[in-house]
Structures are given as structure tokens and as C-alpha cells.
Amino acid sequence: MSLLPAPAVFRSRDFSLYLTARFLSALAIQMQNVAVGWLVYDLTRDPLALGLVGLVSFLPAVALALVTGHVADRHDRRLVLVSCYVLTLGTALGLLAIAVTGSGETWLIYTLLLVFGISRAFANPAGQALVPNLVPPEQLGTAIAWNSTVWQTATIAGPALGGLLYYLGAGVAFGSAAACFLACCVLFALMGSRPQPKPADVTWETLLAGIRFIRSRPVIFGAISLDLFAVLLGGATALLPVYARDILHVGPGGLGLLRSMPAVGALLVALWLAQRPLQSKSGLRMFQGVALFGVATIGFGLSTHIVLSCFFLFVLGGADMISVFVRSTLVQFDTPDAMRGRVAAVNSVFIGASNELGEFESGALAAAIGTVPAVVVGGVGTLAVCALWMRWFPALRYRDRLTS
């Protein structure tokens, strides 16, 4: 399928508002992640503490997965987003207060991150499911590509900006993130209302529909589970504060640079895919991307030079973007609108498990065997997962076109 020229997508006022809010949200999340990571490691000097940051952010997505998807399918997704970002703003202000007062209680940080995880657990499926409602069907592919591009652009700028702002003080970094979340609340509130048709009853059948739908589609199930386990094992980003402080010795500014490099690679690949979408051998390209992700993770784990480390993170991000694009396109095109919220909720759990739970796995493993061995073992595990999934999901491996 050839994509329409990019400007056609932006004729939708609501999509433009959504994309702007998406950019500011990603920017704020990345700035906050850098600030939280540096603050927690500065307080504890314990890689396991960094892993717990990811765990408390992820747990709400699992615990509330059935509920969050159903909310996105039964209620106005725009209002869901507004409510979630008001809560997110509250948690950001709480982190700002901790930074300003100099409180050293990490349990307060974890509590706020848990609330932050709850808000994201509801916002993620609502936001994913809303995109197809904002543009005509023929522009959906372009919208997905631009959505990924905007997110990756913010993911590049956010960590670097967060690291630089942290030099000015932790309060400056956390305050800037809170300002971005406030802007998101306003932008989502300006969008037009889109009430969802409500099913007659909420039953276990309707709650579990998203899981059953994904399980009944081997290609979708294979794609999102491959991404889950590959990134879960290869999640080295949680340990970047350790590399920045103890291995590469580059400070918070260097930490921001390291966090930005995967997004730089992902952005370039996203822009390339927006102009040259995968036309054939899509499943095979996904497996190749995951394998390259594993190799780059091993290379980063062994590197002791900032330039080489940045290179491997750049390759890692570009390889991951191929997997993200294939998975996102399959889920959006193959899911009926009435079920997009529930399917997106399950998909969000997989994404969260691969990222936040992957951070906990990396932190726990690093505490047990050391930082460098933990990253290298994770990269080897990613390669093993890739080989197993090629064997277990032949339908995904031989998938030619993303849309049928």
C-alpha cells in the first residue's frame, strides 16, 4: 500500500492536536525518566533500585489490563485521555516537590511512579485506539508512520534535554516535564468529542475479548510476543545510569545522550518507512530487525567508549523500530474499531512488559551477576528468542504484505 503525501493527514485538526500532545507527552516522559533514573541511582547506588523504577511503572498495566481496554471501548477516548493526563500532571508535581525539598525517601518516588503507571495504563489503549478515529481509513498507514516519527523525535530530544536541565537542578527537569503534561491536558481537551457505542453488558466474555482475539490471530500474537520477549531480555536502557556514572564516566548530560541514541536510530528508520513502507517479506524483515537488536545489545554491553556505545544504541533503536512498525500496523489494520481499545490494552501490557518489566529484569540480573554480564546475557537471550519464534510462528515469518 502506498502512503498518501504527509500533508493530507494534517488536514484533520484533531489529528494535528493529537500529534502535538503526543510529542509533548513523549518529551515529558523522557525528561522525567532521565531525572528519575539519575535521582534514584544517586540516592541508592543500587542497580536493583533502577529496576524497581520500571517494575512499579509496569504493574498497573498488567493489573488493570482488562479494565483499561474496556474503558477505551465504552467511553469517549478523548475524555479518557484528558482525565489520565490530569492525574499524570499530579504525579509530575509530586516528583517536583520531592526534588525541590530534597527528600531522600525513595518509597515516595516509587509511590508516585505507581500512580503514574495507573494513568498511563488507561491512557495508552485509549490513545492507540483513538488514532483510527481521527483520519480516513486510507490515511491510517500515514498516520501510524507520523505517530511513530513524532514519538521518536521527542524520544531523541527528551533524554538529552532532561540531562541538560538536570545540570540546572532536579527541580528544573521535573518542572519542565510537569509543564509539558499540563499542555497535553489542554490539547486533548480542545479535540472534538467522540463518544463510543456502549455494549449492553460488561461480562467476562467482553472483558476477555481482546485476549481471545489476539490469541486467535497467530500473526498478531507472534508479532507482539516476539517484541515482548526480545526487548524484555535485551532491555539495557534501565542500566544506562550505571554506564554513564561508573563505566563511561560521562555524567547526567552523557546519560541524556545515551538515552537519546536509540531514538535517533528509530526516528531515521521511521522516516524511511514513512516514505518506503514495507511492500514484501514483512515478517522476515521483523525477525532480521530483532536479531540485529540482539547483536547491538551485546556490542553495547561490552563497549567502554562513549562513541562506540552511542553507535550500538543507535543501531539498537533502528532495529527495534522495524519490529514496532510491523506490530503496530498489524494490530491497527487487523482489529475492528469496536475492539481496538481492548486489543490495544493487551498490546500495551506487552509493550510495558518489554520496556518497564525489562528494566526490572535487567536491574535484578545486574545486581546478581554484574552490569556488563547482565546486558550481554540479555542480548544473547534476544537472539535465542528470535530463533525460537521463527520456528514457532511460521505464519509470521512468511508474512509478505503487512495489509491484506
Side-chain angles (χ1 to χ4, degrees):
M1 186 187 78
S2 60
L3 299 181
L4 294 177
V9 180
F10 297 105
R11 292 172 189 161
S12 167
R13 171 182 173 273
D14 283 351
F15 182 71
S16 297
L17 290 170
Y18 172 87
L19 216 57
T20 305
R22 170 89 164 161
F23 173 79
L24 292 174
S25 171
L27 193 71
I29 290 170
Q30 295 304 322
M31 288 192 295
Q32 184 171 282
N33 284 346
V34 169
V36 167
W38 191 267
L39 180 62
V40 169
Y41 191 64
D42 202 32
L43 291 171
T44 66
R45 301 297 176 91
D46 184 1
L48 180 59
L50 293 173
L52 289 174
V53 169
L55 181 63
V56 297
S57 299
F58 165 71
L59 286 177
V62 176
L64 301 171
L66 299 181
V67 178
T68 58
H70 214 75
V71 168
D73 282 338
R74 289 176 59 87
H75 300 281
D76 188 333
R77 292 161 181 168
R78 179 191 65 92
L79 291 179
V80 173
L81 287 172
V82 172
S83 302
C84 290
Y85 275 93
V86 169
L87 183 59
T88 298
L89 174 60
T91 62
L93 292 174
L95 290 170
L96 172 61
I98 291 175
V100 171
T101 59
S103 171
E105 298 293 335
T106 54
W107 70 267
L108 286 174
I109 299 174
Y110 292 140
T111 300
L112 287 169
L113 291 177
L114 183 66
V115 178
F116 179 75
I118 293 173
S119 66
R120 290 191 68 190
F122 282 92
N124 284 339
Q128 291 180 41
L130 182 62
V131 174
N133 303 144
L134 303 178
V135 297
E138 65 272 13
Q139 295 180 10
L140 182 56
T142 304
I144 292 172
W146 274 102
N147 198 21
S148 297
T149 300
V150 164
W151 179 269
Q152 295 302 337
T153 302
T155 307
I156 294 169
L161 184 58
L164 292 175
L165 290 173
Y166 204 94
Y167 276 123
L168 302 177
V172 177
F174 285 115
S176 299
C180 289
F181 286 132
L182 174 61
C184 289
C185 295
V186 175
L187 289 168
F188 284 126
L190 291 173
M191 292 172 58
S193 180
R194 285 176 171 79
Q196 292 297 113
K198 298 181 181 181
D201 298 299
V202 178
T203 66
W204 276 110
E205 185 70 24
T206 59
L207 288 173
L208 296 173
I211 297 175
R212 290 173 176 163
F213 178 84
I214 291 174
R215 189 66 185 87
S216 68
R217 302 296 196 279
V219 172
I220 296 179
F221 182 56
I224 64 175
S225 60
L226 171 63
D227 187 75
L228 161 65
F229 288 104
V231 180
L232 174 66
L233 295 174
T237 55
L239 302 176
L240 289 181
V242 183
Y243 273 85
R245 178 184 283 275
D246 299 334
I247 297 176
L248 301 175
H249 308 289
V250 292
L255 173 60
L257 177 64
L258 291 173
R259 277 195 172 272
S260 294
M261 291 313 297
V264 173
L267 173 62
L268 293 179
V269 172
L271 289 171
W272 179 73
L273 289 171
Q275 302 302 320
R276 296 174 177 268
L278 297 175
Q279 298 290 349
S280 63
K281 298 182 179 179
S282 300
L284 180 60
R285 297 291 178 261
M286 182 176 187
F287 281 110
Q288 291 171 339
V290 171
L292 182 58
F293 178 90
V295 172
T297 299
I298 295 171
F300 170 76
L302 297 174
S303 172
T304 57
H305 192 280
I306 182 64
V307 174
L308 191 59
S309 296
C310 287
F311 168 75
F312 281 120
L313 289 173
F314 172 85
V315 174
L316 179 151
D320 184 51
M321 187 64 223
I322 297 174
S323 174
V324 170
F325 183 83
V326 172
R327 184 196 69 236
S328 299
T329 305
L330 286 173
V331 170
Q332 294 284 31
F333 271 99
D334 293 359
T335 305
D337 183 67
M339 288 187 60
R340 281 198 176 106
R342 282 164 286 179
V343 172
V346 178
N347 191 33
S348 294
V349 171
F350 277 72
I351 295 172
S354 64
N355 294 314
E356 283 87 1
L357 191 57
E359 292 179 3
F360 174 71
E361 179 272 336
S362 296
L365 190 60
I369 67 175
T371 299
V372 172
V375 175
V376 173
V377 168
V380 172
T382 297
L383 293 174
V385 166
C386 185
L388 288 173
W389 259 242
M390 288 186 73
R391 179 182 179 88
W392 292 346
F393 294 93
L396 175 60
R397 181 177 53 172
Y398 293 117
R399 177 70 175 249
D400 190 37
R401 296 179 61 86
L402 281 175
T403 58
S404 58

